[in-house]
Amino acid sequence: MQSLGVRLIMAAVVLAMAATAQAPTTFQPVGNMSQLMIDIIYPTSDALFYVDRDPPKNEHEWSLLRGQALILAESGNLIMMAGRARDQENWIKYSKIMIDLGKTAFKAAQAKDLDGIRALNDPLNDVCVNCHLQYRPGYHKRPAPDAK
Ligand code: HEC
């Protein structure tokens, strides 16, 4: 028969192990999904979508665009975080596509390749739309074209 002390210590060890196993991620989320979209993903993707409105002309302006591309790419990681990812399938798929496109834009900006950034316009728009169709509440609730 174990002493009460030994049993208490064992119970404490088991509890500590359980706490470690269940410890949530060490990330400290600040914004909700809507805020990440409005304050990070929307402005940074706009910088790429509308690059021709005011194309970068000097080192400083290229560095700003490069930063926008990098933030957009990395924001794909932010939305895949545990607690943010809505599932492990299409959500992850679309997030990774956004990361890849942001990464390509980042490299294009490093190379000061305006055409390379322009070429991302359609695929980038597609990934926003595709994810919104599946996950954004109330998105695209218009009737189908033939449903008069
Ligand atoms: C992996 C999925 C996913 C991708 C990719 C994605 N979004 Fe979103 N977006 C969402 C979800 C989910 C919401 C709804 C958020 C909410 O209201 O909680 C949303 C909402 C938004 C909103 C509206 C926010 C509000 O509350 O008014 C904007 C703007 C937006 N997204 C922009 C973009 C743009 C631009 C892109 C592409 C560059 C993009 N999103 C890519 C999932 C995604």
Side-chain angles (χ1 to χ4, degrees), residues 91-107:
W91 185 275
I92 302 297
K93 182 179 111 185
Y94 295 138
S95 302
K96 286 185 172 170
I97 292 174
M98 200 171 76
I99 294 175
D100 277 347
L101 294 168
K103 186 172 155 186
T104 307
F106 178 58
K107 289 185 172 164

Side-chain angles (χ1 to χ4, degrees), residues 33-34 37-38 41-42 45 49 72 79 86 91 94-95 98 124 127-128 131-132 135-137:
M33 189 57 61
S34 164
M37 291 290 154
I38 292 172
I41 293 173
Y42 181 53
S45 59
F49 285 137
L72 180 67
I79 63 176
R86 303 281 163 96
W91 185 275
Y94 295 138
S95 302
M98 200 171 76
L124 187 57
V127 73
C128 312
C131 195
H132 292 164
Y135 299 99
R136 184 172 161 185

Side-chain angles (χ1 to χ4, degrees), residues 48-97:
L48 302 176
F49 285 137
Y50 299 110
V51 69
D52 277 317
R53 282 186 183 165
D54 189 14
K57 291 175 289 296
N58 53 43
E59 201 62 44
H60 175 66
E61 290 176 5
W62 273 111
S63 78
L64 293 179
L65 190 65
R66 206 174 60 227
Q68 303 285 70
L70 182 58
I71 295 168
L72 180 67
E74 292 286 356
S75 68
N77 289 312
L78 295 182
I79 63 176
M80 287 197 298
M81 279 170 50
R84 283 189 174 142
R86 303 281 163 96
D87 60 42
Q88 292 301 307
E89 281 135 44
N90 282 350
W91 185 275
I92 302 297
K93 182 179 111 185
Y94 295 138
S95 302
K96 286 185 172 170
I97 292 174

